[in-house]
Amino acid sequence: MEKRKVDLYYGSLFHDIGKAVQRTTGKREKHQLIGADFLKPYMNEKSILNCLKYHHVNLRNDNITDDDLSYITYIADNIASGTDRRPNDEDPGFKWDAKAPLQDIFNRFGKQTGKRYLKPGELRLDDVVSITPIKDRLDYTHADYSRGVERFREGLMAIKPTEDYMQSALNLMEATMSFMPSSTNMEEVADISLYDHMKLTAAFAMAIQQYLDFLGEHDYKQRLYKNARKFYQETAFLMMGFKFSGLEKFIYTIVSQGAHKQLRSRAFYANMLSEWFIDTLLSDTELTRANVLFEAVGQGYILLGNTPKNRRLITEHCEEFNEFLQKQFGASIHVSVGMSQFASTQVEQGNTFDSYSKIFRDIDREITHSELQQFDAHQIMALNKRGKQTGRECVVCHAVGTLNPETNKCELCEKLEGFSKNIQQDDFFVVNADEDGLPIGPGAFLSVTDKEAIQKGEVSGKIYSKNQLNTGFKQQTYLWVGDYSDLENNEFSKYAERDWTKDENASVIGIKRLAALRIDVDDLYASFLAGFADQGDGMYTTISRYAALSRRITSFFNVHLNAFAKGCHATVIYSGGDDAFIIGAWDDILKLLARLRGYFADWTDQKMTFSAGIYMYQATMPINIVARRTNQLLQEAKLAGKHRVALFDSSIIFDVDEFINDVYYDKLVKIRQFFTKQSNRGKSFAYKLLSLLRSRNEEDRISFARLAYFLSRLEDDAEDTEAFHQFKESMLGWYDNAHEIKKVETALSLYIYEIRED
């Protein structure tokens, strides 16, 4: 990458660092100059420091050249902020609150205005309390800023302003400034973090440079400063979206043999296919991860300059990657792309909802068209030449081809099993030309490495770290992966084999079954498009809020899901940015559903919901069947409406909150407490009661009379007559309503699962 591009990246990424430094003291000084002075000992390049010094109108310097990069940073800063004219921290006449915390992005989301804040501090991966928004404001004190700035300074010492450290710089920004507000102007809505703003500014800056280089324009002063209004109207930007099809099927298309050895490796491998597609495209177009506005497993949006070269590179990259996928997987995995050009006026504050959403509608239209015409004539001929494959099938994935005669497994499944015996404990990975690794793209292979080898310079290739925010390692990209597990060797059958009597407060054995949980956010795409359209006549519909909202949702599933699941007998198999697939002991899966619902409600201020499917199964069932049936239950739940859960069977569907509050935390608890006090009423009583509930007839009262007689006859010799009477009255009260009976029947069934032996 050319040095001017690298310098522009660092200058734009760090352009507002002076705000954080300024707030350590609260002095009214120009944050542009403070930032430049702060950065100078670490990056003393004039072109970088100028981007910090001169990115505001009132600091224009006649001594800088007309092609100075600060002009690009200036206008990129305006576009990222969504407005052209903004006051500076030191300007008189404006009300500033230097201790204002970051407001929740969901405050301006939906129809109801929220009043929540994020706690001051740095990004923490395992502290759930610190990352959950709160209603009461906590000042972002000078001391809080000082801690963040000092941590930033320490990380900065390990970074050089070269291409090798561009990702490390982004990591450092996210770790230290994700909860610092970009603006402390009391007349503005401070719901964009300093990290999100500076990241987006760098993205726009690099896209603008591409666009102007294509036009052969280097008089930035004239084009971007004097004629800024005209530039805002130019379609200078290109939004590219991509979507993989077939990844989920690839993950779960395995039989029980070897499933525990490679299920999570398959999920991670599928994730890395998407990651490598992004990184190689960014490399081709000479952009960085700052330009990735949204990313989940197998889909995402990237911001580029609107140039013929970029459009050509995107098309060629997609074709080349699909050729690799076709060679490796046949027709089972495919990636489609869509593009839309736009002007900055379409994404600034005060624009219309239609102008904003048109960008993404155009992209999705192209992706849909590509999916319908997945293969061209050349590719179809190549697939046909392979003919109908005959021979022995791989015992793991059922693929037909060259197998290892000793194991009857295909080469990919062999590598997936050897890739990582314990995937959740591996932290560093490398992609290079070593063919012993997993094929991840054209001429590229994925292998496990370690921190020590990286630090010694023994690792060549593209380095990735998982669930860490390290800085100082060259060429490092971080991966956020939901990979929690309480198992050591992915032996999922242990969830059914474990001795339940060792659980705290448990005195029964219970049915030995596993369960799979699939959750998916309801109407996420519509929320991204229209979520900010209802308040202020759509004035909050900006690209910066889109980016902040995207990061907020994906961080729930990819960053913090591990902390949410901690302590459960469960394993996160797959987490895709807005959905997840988790398996574990059936009772802990129910507990985890309740826990995730609570966290997600707090996370989104009750403005987003998810639906779920839960399937119970025996440990010997092939995982492909488990995944398919769990997904079917999820789809059944979604067909019933938003925020539904299908529990074990498509006939048992509840509103998620209704199940958690009325069934799981209310009726099940009452039934459990009742039987605890009535030791002479065991399984036979529970089974008889369940039989009477299931025999309910809407057209007569015979079944009700049977239940009343049965309970009354047993009440006299109850150990705790008062408790028994209360239970009887509750049962008879519930019995007069079919929906309440369905809840009771479900709760009683769950209790029987808790006490029943296999």
Side-chain angles (χ1 to χ4, degrees):
M1 188 180 295
E2 296 176 2
K3 188 178 186 303
R4 277 178 62 83
K5 294 182 179 180
V6 175
D7 289 351
L8 178 63
Y9 170 80
Y10 283 106
S12 298
L13 185 67
F14 292 152
H15 78 282
D16 266 351
I17 191 64
K19 288 185 176 181
V21 180
Q22 179 193 51
R23 295 170 196 168
T24 63
T25 62
K27 292 182 180 180
R28 281 289 183 91
E29 299 176 7
K30 292 179 172 60
H31 73 267
Q32 304 95 308
L33 300 181
I34 293 175
D37 289 341
F38 174 84
L39 193 64
K40 188 174 182 179
Y42 312 101
M43 298 183 181
N44 195 21
E45 281 77 4
K46 181 179 179 181
S47 56
I48 295 177
L49 296 179
N50 279 0
C51 290
L52 278 72
K53 287 181 182 179
Y54 306 126
H55 70 269
H56 276 291
V57 175
N58 62 346
L59 282 179
R60 291 268 56 90
N61 188 321
D62 291 336
N63 293 325
I64 63 175
T65 61
D66 292 347
D67 66 345
D68 195 272
L69 297 176
S70 63
Y71 288 108
I72 298 180
T73 303
Y74 153 74
I75 202 162
D77 179 32
N78 286 341
I79 296 171
S81 299
T83 182
D84 179 37
R85 301 288 181 181
R86 289 173 295 114
N88 298 322
D89 289 3
E90 69 280 354
D91 287 348
F94 287 93
K95 297 179 180 179
W96 303 98
D97 184 357
K99 296 183 179 180
L102 182 65
Q103 295 181 27
D104 183 18
I105 191 66
F106 283 98
N107 287 351
R108 298 295 175 177
F109 183 89
K111 295 181 179 180
Q112 300 298 322
T113 303
K115 296 180 179 180
R116 304 198 309 169
Y117 304 89
L118 280 83
K119 297 178 183 179
E122 291 82 60
L123 179 61
R124 302 179 182 91
L125 303 185
D126 57 354
D127 187 352
V128 175
V129 175
S130 69
I131 57 178
T132 304
I134 56 177
K135 294 182 179 180
D136 297 324
R137 163 179 164 152
L138 292 176
D139 283 352
Y140 214 125
T141 66
H142 301 322
D144 292 326
Y145 276 110
S146 294
R147 282 191 294 271
V149 169
E150 185 57 31
R151 184 181 173 189
F152 178 81
R153 187 198 306 272
E154 291 173 356
L156 200 59
M157 295 173 66
I159 292 176
K160 299 177 182 178
T162 65
E163 185 176 355
D164 288 338
Y165 291 88
M166 294 171 87
Q167 182 62 44
S168 285
L170 197 61
N171 293 357
L172 181 60
M173 292 283 295
E174 183 172 9
T176 56
M177 299 180 187
S178 285
F179 298 99
M180 293 181 183
S182 174
S183 172
T184 56
N185 184 354
M186 296 176 65
E187 297 181 0
E188 296 179 353
V189 178
D191 56 358
I192 304 300
S193 74
L194 199 54
Y195 164 73
D196 283 315
H197 169 65
M198 291 197 284
K199 174 180 180 288
L200 189 60
T201 298
F204 274 115
M206 298 192 77
I208 290 168
Q209 187 182 50
Q210 288 184 332
Y211 175 71
L212 295 180
D213 283 351
F214 158 66
L215 295 178
E217 176 65 79
H218 297 99
D219 187 348
Y220 300 152
K221 182 177 182 179
Q222 183 71 27
R223 188 77 174 230
L224 304 179
Y225 180 54
K226 293 184 178 181
N227 294 326
R229 290 291 185 185
K230 182 180 179 181
F231 180 80
Y232 293 140
Q233 303 291 331
E234 296 182 40
T235 54
F237 305 104
L238 186 70
M239 189 76 78
M240 171 265 194
F242 70 92
K243 182 179 180 181
F244 277 79
S245 58
L247 287 183
E248 287 191 33
K249 185 177 180 182
F250 163 78
I251 295 172
Y252 304 119
T253 307
I254 51 178
V255 295
S256 58
Q257 182 175 350
H260 69 278
K261 295 181 180 179
Q262 65 164 269
L263 179 58
R264 302 186 76 203
S265 293
R266 277 180 170 259
F268 183 77
Y269 175 61
N271 182 25
M272 284 303 303
L273 284 172
S274 177
E275 295 287 347
W276 188 244
F277 175 81
I278 292 173
D279 279 332
T280 46
L281 176 61
L282 292 174
S283 177
D284 289 346
T285 56
E286 295 189 288
L287 294 172
T288 74
R289 285 271 173 163
N291 292 79
V292 181
L293 300 187
F294 170 73
E295 178 198 355
V297 177
Q299 57 183 316
Y301 294 101
I302 299 174
L303 176 66
L304 309 94
N306 183 21
T307 70
K309 179 181 179 181
N310 277 342
R311 289 193 292 272
R312 175 178 57 79
L313 288 173
I314 290 170
T315 300
E316 291 176 353
H317 180 72
C318 184
E319 291 175 350
E320 183 181 6
F321 211 86
N322 275 324
E323 287 181 8
F324 158 76
L325 293 174
Q326 179 181 327
K327 181 179 179 181
Q328 189 68 43
F329 306 104
S332 60
I333 300 179
H334 183 82
V335 60
S336 301
V337 299
M339 292 174 271
S340 178
Q341 58 186 18
F342 66 96
S344 63
T345 51
Q346 291 178 248
V347 296
E348 69 181 15
Q349 184 164 300
N351 68 325
T352 66
F353 165 70
D354 287 341
S355 65
Y356 168 82
S357 61
K358 182 180 183 299
I359 300 170
F360 300 95
R361 290 199 306 268
D362 289 347
I363 292 172
D364 287 348
R365 189 179 301 113
E366 287 193 8
I367 289 177
T368 300
H369 178 74
S370 176
E371 288 177 326
L372 293 175
Q373 298 182 345
Q374 225 176 70
F375 303 105
D376 58 27
H378 172 73
Q379 292 170 323
I380 292 174
M381 289 179 64
L383 286 170
N384 288 336
K385 285 181 180 179
R386 299 174 65 176
K388 183 178 180 181
Q389 293 179 296
T390 59
R392 301 179 66 182
E393 292 184 346
C394 171
V395 295
V396 177
C397 69
H398 288 178
V400 177
T402 304
L403 307 180
N404 183 328
E406 296 181 0
T407 62
N408 287 326
K409 297 173 185 176
C410 66
E411 182 181 8
L412 183 60
C413 285
E414 287 269 337
K415 286 186 175 182
L416 283 166
E417 286 189 13
F419 176 63
S420 175
K421 295 180 180 179
N422 198 7
I423 189 71
Q424 69 264 27
Q425 294 186 4
D426 289 315
D427 296 324
F428 296 94
F429 306 87
V430 61
V431 177
N432 52 31
D434 185 355
E435 296 185 5
D436 289 336
L438 288 165
I440 201 71
F445 301 85
L446 173 69
S447 304
V448 176
T449 187
D450 57 66
K451 185 175 182 178
E452 183 179 357
I454 297 169
Q455 290 177 323
K456 289 181 178 180
E458 298 173 351
V459 180
S460 62
K462 178 73 173 180
I463 298 168
Y464 292 84
S465 65
K466 186 185 69 175
N467 295 338
Q468 300 184 43
L469 283 169
N470 297 313
T471 57
F473 295 158
K474 295 181 179 180
Q475 302 172 310
Q476 183 187 100
T477 297
Y478 66 84
L479 305 168
W480 294 130
V481 180
D483 67 346
Y484 169 80
S485 180
D486 68 319
L487 297 174
E488 293 184 359
N489 297 306
N490 296 327
E491 296 283 354
F492 305 128
S493 61
K494 289 184 178 180
Y495 288 134
E497 297 170 358
R498 67 185 178 90
D499 184 358
W500 289 25
T501 60
K502 292 181 181 179
D503 286 357
E504 184 180 357
N505 300 323
S507 59
V508 292
I509 296 176
I511 187 171
K512 295 183 178 180
R513 294 288 188 277
L514 286 78
L517 167 66
R518 179 73 188 271
I519 58 178
D520 185 59
V521 176
D522 295 319
D523 296 335
L524 181 62
Y525 180 71
S527 297
F528 279 150
L529 289 186
F532 297 102
D534 290 323
Q535 296 185 39
D537 294 325
M539 66 177 294
Y540 302 109
T541 302
T542 62
I543 198 71
S544 58
R545 286 191 175 86
Y546 167 83
L549 179 69
S550 301
R551 191 166 73 92
R552 183 68 173 279
I553 295 300
T554 55
S555 68
F556 180 91
F557 289 95
N558 288 359
V559 181
H560 303 296
L561 183 62
N562 295 330
F564 298 146
K566 191 174 182 179
C568 289
H569 296 297
T571 295
V572 178
I573 301 298
Y574 166 89
S575 183
D578 66 335
D579 64 345
F581 182 78
I582 307 170
I583 63 176
W586 71 267
D587 60 332
D588 273 29
I589 287 295
L590 294 180
K591 179 171 67 176
L592 184 56
L593 172 67
R595 183 184 295 182
L596 290 177
R597 167 52 190 155
Y599 281 129
F600 194 69
D602 291 341
W603 199 258
T604 64
D605 199 16
Q606 306 281 351
K607 294 180 178 180
M608 279 188 174
T609 60
F610 63 68
S611 295
I614 298 179
Y615 180 68
M616 184 184 290
Y617 64 99
Q618 293 183 335
T620 56
M621 179 173 286
I623 196 65
N624 61 325
I625 297 176
V626 173
R628 183 175 69 249
R629 292 184 179 176
T630 307
N631 188 59
Q632 288 172 347
L633 288 174
L634 173 64
Q635 300 310 316
E636 291 284 349
K638 284 183 170 289
L639 287 174
K642 295 181 182 179
H643 200 39
R644 299 290 195 272
V645 55
L647 191 70
F648 308 152
D649 186 88
S650 59
S651 63
I652 307 175
I653 297 179
F654 294 101
D655 175 89
V656 173
D657 288 340
E658 182 182 53
F659 168 73
I660 293 171
N661 297 327
D662 295 352
V663 179
Y664 187 71
Y665 282 135
D666 183 37
K667 290 179 172 59
L668 176 58
V669 172
K670 289 178 179 177
I671 290 172
R672 192 185 293 129
Q673 291 174 343
F674 167 77
F675 278 96
T676 300
K677 294 180 180 180
Q678 307 292 331
S679 59
N680 62 332
R681 302 300 175 198
K683 298 176 187 175
S684 60
F685 176 78
Y687 279 118
K688 178 63 176 178
L689 193 57
L690 183 61
S691 176
L692 289 169
L693 292 174
R694 289 175 172 172
S695 67
R696 183 181 187 275
N697 191 325
E698 293 281 358
E699 298 179 359
D700 59 51
R701 304 288 293 177
I702 295 177
S703 55
F704 177 84
R706 287 174 179 166
L707 177 64
Y709 173 75
F710 174 70
L711 293 175
S712 297
R713 185 168 59 86
L714 298 176
E715 184 176 358
D716 292 339
D717 62 345
E719 291 183 37
D720 188 332
T721 55
E722 182 179 352
F724 195 101
H725 179 74
Q726 291 177 354
F727 179 75
K728 182 188 76 172
E729 292 301 312
S730 295
M731 290 295 299
L732 296 179
W734 293 328
Y735 201 77
D736 205 32
N737 182 289
H739 194 59
E740 289 298 313
I741 281 295
K742 184 179 179 181
K743 296 178 188 177
V744 178
E745 181 184 334
T746 302
L748 186 57
S749 296
L750 294 177
Y751 175 72
I752 290 173
Y753 292 153
E754 291 179 355
I755 65 172
R756 198 186 90 187
E757 297 180 11
D758 264 7

